[in-house]
Amino acid sequence: LGPPAVCHGGRRFLFSSAGQLPLDKRALKKTNRLINEKSPYLLQHAFNPVDWFPWGFEAFEKAHTENKPIFLSIGYSTCYWCHVMEREVFENESLAALMNDYFVSVKVDREERPDVDRVYMAALQAMIGSGGWPMSMFLTPGLKPFFGATYIPPVSTGGRSGFGEIMQRIHDVWTNDRAQVDQVSQRLGDLLTHIAHPDTTALEADIRTLDHAFEAFANNYDKTHAGFGSAPKFPRPVVYTFLLRYYARSGKRQALEMTVETLRRIAASGMHDHIGGGFHRYATDERWHVPHFEKMLYDQAQLAISYLEVYQLTREEFFAEVARDVLDYVLRVMTHPDGGFYSAEDAESLPGVDSSPQVENTPLKKEEGAFYVWTKDEIDRILTPDEVRIFNDRFGMGENGNVLADPHGVFRGKNILHIAERRPDSSTDESNAIFTRAKQKVFEARERRTKPHLDDKVLVSWNALMILAFSRAYQVLGEKRYLEAAMRATRFVLDKLADCGSGQLLRRYRDGESRFEAHLEDYALLVQALLDLYEASFDIEWLKAASTFAKRQNELFFDRKDGGFFDVSGNDPTILVRTKEWYDGAEPTGNSIAILNLLRLSQMINSVEYEAMARKSLAYFGQRLHESPQATPQFLVALDFSLSKPKQIIIAGAAEDPGTAALLREVHSRFIPNKVLLLADGAGGQEFLSASIPFLATIQMSDGKPTAYVCENYACRLPTSDPDQLSELLKLTAV
């Protein structure tokens, strides 16, 4: 791969205007403005009869000039109900005509513009007590919300107002009772301001906060089916991240056991794509059997890390194999030819194979899970009788399907593959060989099916999570291909989306275009990935890049008055408020990751300022951690680090020396979460580190052999070149 060649200053970003057309018959239809966008989601709506605008001043000026409210629709390209609303509402000529007459309609891809989404999701949750996508919001020309919903059906049904009726009501109120609209929008605007600037008191969280959080998760654990809460069930890796660290701190096996059993159940369930690898988004039932079939990059990244960490703790090869399964799926399906990672795969697709004929003027309808589910007859045609017997036994195939929790009959007669209870004699070497052969045949048959839509945009934050996963995989599994994948992706991101001279980032790359100001989550997750990539490769350039982007992150987002980080820079006047996100959901917040990064960097480059910023920020969110621990698991990880005495593990020697590798195998075989790992290479890397930590200048090999130093506050135990002796030293620092 050659030298890392990172952080070239003065990069010029490319902004192009041409869109990539969907390859179907809709290309013959009239298009709207979205055809000039790059977002796969916006391009999906480029053929609607709706006069869509992208988010921007052209739309807002039209609303002001024509005195019309704005209809804002936010979603993403693999969102199932977004597809439904497009088919039912936005493709409806009569409804589109009303939209064009009454409103200025704006379409936003929430994955490109989380800053826009965050503001209006907060408003929607305040209005109706919940949120989701598609998000349907009505705004004044000044961008203040006054009415909102999620999916809206085309016509009124079951006591639920239809889109046409809602539009007419809003038009009537806008025309005849503007004072009511102004009153509601002002009240919601004030509420958004309060959400962005809550009345909180700085609170120093402590170890009791961690104990309280553990008890909250334990009380919410599903002892029957594993996981937390009831249906629908989401894999939420930030919870596993906290629980494993709590186990390392406290020794309470329940924290480990809940995590291990949950990950074991998920891996055996219909959530897991047993044929092609990777995980689906969530389960609609409490048993984890029936998934929502979309696949998100951030889930693959975080779950791979969870399985790797459990493997470190249990040494069960099963968990390592699941991690490999996820990573190999990402390399096969979700990787750009130049190394970056794509965003998602859709849940629905056309039934049949890629070459299936379509009746003229009667296009096939996409179906949820069509790519993944099977009838018994389909399997019987693909496999031999012996293979059918073993395959059906392992995956719980039923003659009439195996989906019990299917109230709408979507999967009637179909089978969702999951690891079922097997006969005692079904795991012989012969049956395992037959099963492996059968899986390959089914995989090859599935590859001929029409594949789900692939959202091929590259996002900094999600790529950073995946880089982190590949870096950890190299450390834990020792497979060089994973390190190469991490480095290729990092070079892609830095080449396409970064100006390393200034530390400036853009958020999204697609089809030759780099666009949109990056936000806190992009900076924080990229810094985290670069820190782990340094600890995996020991190329000092990655640590230098991490320092550069951390500095720029602090300049753009840190609140020096109160602590914590704003989610956006404040440079975009169309974003009504600057929030500080505190809920660690499907992805960790930028704040929780930024705080942990500062704590790690304070150890790696000896920055008292960074440690003070991290502790001030933890205090700012301290009340949230105490009152809502289940909402803040990644913050709790940062708190745990701050309450520990992090170990500095320093290896003196060349990165490529076999002796260095032997010492590192001992380090990576153990789960030691609160540590930093440094290389004293006797060259440029050690020189860079010694500039901020003079003590490191004295670290050297013993008797010409790579040597390990295990330190605390840079007071070190006796160094050793013997992996067995290092193992004994590490037992004092790990479970």
Side-chain angles (χ1 to χ4, degrees):
L1 290 171
V6 300
C7 280
H8 295 298
R11 172 165 181 77
R12 296 174 62 190
F13 294 115
L14 172 65
F15 294 88
S16 64
S17 60
Q20 182 172 311
L21 302 182
L23 301 177
D24 62 23
K25 292 191 296 183
R26 293 191 305 169
L28 301 176
K29 295 175 62 176
K30 182 180 178 181
T31 60
N32 55 52
R33 291 171 187 79
L34 301 185
I35 199 65
N36 296 317
E37 296 297 309
K38 293 289 189 177
S39 158
Y41 175 62
L42 269 55
L43 287 171
Q44 287 172 348
H45 292 77
F47 302 89
N48 299 159
V50 178
D51 186 19
W52 288 115
F53 286 76
W55 181 266
F57 287 107
E58 183 184 4
F60 311 148
E61 181 63 26
K62 180 179 173 67
H64 275 289
T65 301
E66 299 183 6
N67 191 28
K68 289 181 177 180
I70 294 168
F71 170 65
L72 173 64
S73 176
I74 302 179
Y76 54 102
S77 78
T78 59
C79 163
Y80 174 75
W81 285 103
C82 300
H83 301 331
V84 174
M85 192 162 176
E86 182 198 9
R87 290 191 290 262
E88 294 181 347
V89 175
F90 305 141
E91 286 287 349
N92 184 301
E93 295 281 353
S94 60
L95 292 177
L98 282 179
M99 293 175 68
N100 297 339
D101 190 26
Y102 291 165
F103 307 104
V104 175
S105 297
V106 175
K107 178 64 71 173
V108 167
D109 183 339
R110 66 170 295 262
E111 294 169 355
E112 285 190 337
R113 297 300 306 262
D115 51 345
V116 177
D117 179 70
R118 187 179 292 113
V119 169
Y120 295 105
M121 183 59 72
L124 180 62
Q125 290 170 337
M127 289 183 212
I128 66 174
S130 62
W133 300 276
M135 192 196 315
S136 304
M137 301 292 291
F138 292 86
L139 320 178
T140 68
L143 306 181
K144 290 184 178 181
F146 61 88
F147 180 81
T150 53
Y151 163 78
I152 304 174
V155 296
S156 300
T157 179
R160 187 173 187 177
S161 297
F163 196 76
E165 181 182 353
I166 288 174
M167 283 195 294
Q168 191 62 57
R169 287 180 184 174
I170 289 176
H171 174 68
D172 291 344
V173 173
W174 181 263
T175 304
N176 302 314
D177 193 0
R178 186 72 58 83
Q180 181 182 347
V181 173
D182 293 341
Q183 183 181 29
V184 172
S185 65
Q186 183 61 49
R187 191 163 61 243
L188 282 169
D190 293 343
L191 181 60
L192 287 173
T193 300
H194 177 72
I195 291 171
H197 305 285
D199 298 324
T200 59
T201 303
L203 177 67
E204 295 286 345
D206 55 27
I207 194 170
R208 293 171 295 180
T209 305
L210 302 178
D211 294 334
H212 175 55
F214 165 71
E215 294 298 334
F217 284 114
N219 291 335
N220 197 38
Y221 180 68
D222 182 344
K223 296 178 181 178
T224 304
H225 304 293
F228 299 88
S230 57
K233 277 188 172 175
F234 290 79
R236 196 172 160 218
V238 286
V239 174
Y240 318 144
T241 302
F242 163 68
L243 288 174
L244 294 180
R245 281 150 185 78
Y246 185 77
Y247 168 61
R249 167 179 288 276
S250 69
K252 290 187 178 179
R253 289 200 62 82
Q254 186 182 2
L256 174 63
E257 290 165 355
M258 289 189 298
T259 305
V260 168
E261 185 60 20
T262 298
L263 291 174
R264 197 186 301 279
R265 293 287 186 96
I266 292 173
S269 75
M271 281 274 298
H272 186 189
D273 180 359
H274 298 274
I275 299 302
F279 287 95
H280 301 299
R281 181 69 194 92
Y282 63 88
T284 62
D285 65 315
E286 63 184 6
R287 298 172 180 268
W288 301 99
H289 179 52
V290 181
H292 176 50
F293 284 94
E294 71 180 317
K295 290 180 175 178
M296 310 302 295
L297 183 67
Y298 57 76
D299 283 326
Q300 314 310 318
Q302 294 178 94
L303 283 168
I305 293 170
S306 294
Y307 281 96
L308 289 167
E309 292 188 341
V310 167
Y311 172 66
Q312 285 180 303
L313 284 162
T314 66
R315 308 311 296 178
E316 287 188 44
E317 187 61 28
F318 168 79
F319 295 104
E321 286 303 312
V322 176
R324 290 188 183 95
D325 167 273
V326 174
L327 297 170
D328 292 350
Y329 156 72
V330 171
L331 289 175
R332 190 183 80 253
V333 176
M334 300 189 75
T335 302
H336 187 284
D338 295 332
F341 301 115
Y342 301 138
S343 294
E345 279 196 295
D346 209 337
E348 59 177 20
S349 58
L350 293 173
V353 299
D354 284 325
S355 58
S356 295
Q358 294 195 22
V359 179
E360 185 67 24
N361 298 323
T362 311
L364 294 173
K365 182 180 178 182
K366 288 185 176 182
E367 297 176 1
E368 165 90 6
F371 186 68
Y372 301 101
V373 301
W374 301 88
T375 65
K376 186 175 181 301
D377 286 345
E378 287 172 324
I379 297 299
D380 288 345
R381 289 195 296 269
I382 296 168
L383 304 179
T384 68
D386 278 350
E387 292 166 347
V388 166
R389 177 176 58 83
I390 297 296
F391 187 90
N392 289 355
D393 181 44
R394 297 279 181 101
F395 284 136
M397 296 278 290
E399 187 75 41
N400 300 310
N402 66 5
V403 182
L404 301 178
D406 186 20
H408 303 293
V410 176
F411 303 111
R412 185 175 293 118
K414 304 292 180 65
N415 290 275
I416 296 175
L417 303 185
H418 66 289
I419 302 300
E421 294 293 333
R422 306 201 298 262
R423 294 189 297 271
D425 62 347
S426 63
S427 294
T428 64
D429 289 344
E430 180 182 4
S431 65
N432 287 337
I434 293 172
F435 178 64
T436 299
R437 187 167 65 245
K439 272 184 62 177
Q440 181 61 29
K441 285 185 177 181
V442 173
F443 172 78
E444 292 169 0
R446 198 179 80 171
E447 283 295 287
R448 294 191 290 273
R449 289 179 167 181
T450 304
K451 294 179 175 60
H453 157 70
L454 174 68
D455 187 319
D456 61 355
K457 66 178 177 288
V458 177
L459 300 173
V460 171
S461 58
W462 296 5
N463 269 249
L465 283 168
M466 204 69 239
I467 291 164
L468 181 68
F470 277 110
S471 297
R472 297 272 182 92
Y474 171 68
Q475 291 176 326
V476 176
L477 303 177
E479 297 183 30
K480 190 66 175 289
R481 64 196 180 105
Y482 293 145
L483 178 60
E484 292 170 350
M487 291 194 294
R488 288 186 74 230
T490 306
R491 291 191 184 96
F492 184 98
V493 169
L494 296 184
D495 180 56
K496 305 294 187 185
L497 291 157
D499 179 346
C500 294
S502 66
Q504 194 75 21
L505 284 175
L506 295 180
R507 177 169 172 80
R508 186 271 287 151
Y509 172 86
R510 183 176 184 270
D511 191 28
E513 180 190 75
S514 301
R515 193 176 179 192
F516 302 116
E517 182 183 41
H519 308 305
L520 172 64
E521 64 198 76
D522 299 297
Y523 281 86
L525 287 167
L526 181 59
V527 170
Q528 182 185 41
L530 289 165
L531 292 178
D532 272 72
L533 186 53
Y534 165 74
E535 292 189 340
S537 68
F538 288 122
D539 191 313
I540 199 65
E541 293 301 320
W542 304 127
L543 182 56
K544 291 179 180 178
S547 300
T548 297
F549 289 114
K551 179 181 178 182
R552 185 59 176 159
Q553 166 202 278
N554 297 340
E555 292 168 352
L556 288 171
F557 307 109
F558 184 64
D559 182 353
R560 296 194 175 275
K561 177 177 179 291
D562 296 322
F565 292 82
F566 294 108
D567 297 305
V568 297
S569 67
N571 294 328
D572 185 344
T574 70
I575 305 303
L576 297 181
V577 293
R578 295 179 79 191
T579 56
K580 295 179 184 176
E581 183 63 56
W582 60 273
Y583 176 73
D584 292 311
E587 308 162 60
T589 67
N591 264 285
S592 59
I593 296 297
I595 292 168
L596 182 59
N597 289 341
L598 291 180
L599 291 168
R600 291 176 68 186
L601 277 167
S602 72
Q603 296 284 321
M604 299 174 86
I605 61 174
N606 193 31
S607 174
V608 175
E609 178 190 9
Y610 280 7
E611 181 176 5
M613 291 169 69
R615 294 189 182 280
K616 183 174 184 177
S617 298
L618 277 173
Y620 175 83
F621 291 104
Q623 185 175 336
R624 298 287 196 189
L625 271 62
H626 179 73
E627 294 175 351
S628 307
Q630 292 185 79
T632 56
Q634 187 64 41
F635 280 98
L636 297 171
V637 170
L639 174 63
D640 176 64
F641 193 102
S642 75
L643 296 174
S644 70
K645 296 179 179 179
K647 303 297 185 293
Q648 301 94 25
I649 302 174
I650 307 164
I651 308 295
E656 64 276 8
D657 192 303
T660 300
L663 294 171
L664 288 171
R665 277 195 296 273
E666 285 299 324
V667 175
H668 295 316
S669 69
R670 298 179 181 278
F671 181 67
I672 314 172
N674 297 336
K675 71 175 187 305
V676 297
L677 189 57
L678 303 171
L679 182 73
D681 60 2
Q686 188 167 1
E687 182 179 349
F688 174 80
L689 293 167
S690 299
S692 53
I693 308 175
F695 159 77
L696 285 174
T698 67
I699 297 292
Q700 58 187 346
M701 295 190 294
S702 177
D703 297 326
K705 298 178 182 178
T707 305
Y709 296 75
V710 179
C711 316
E712 195 173 285
N713 293 325
Y714 292 102
C716 304
R717 299 176 185 272
L718 290 176
T720 181
S721 298
D722 184 348
D724 291 335
Q725 290 183 11
L726 176 58
S727 178
E728 293 301 314
L729 289 175
L730 294 175
K731 286 179 181 178
L732 302 175
T733 66
V735 177

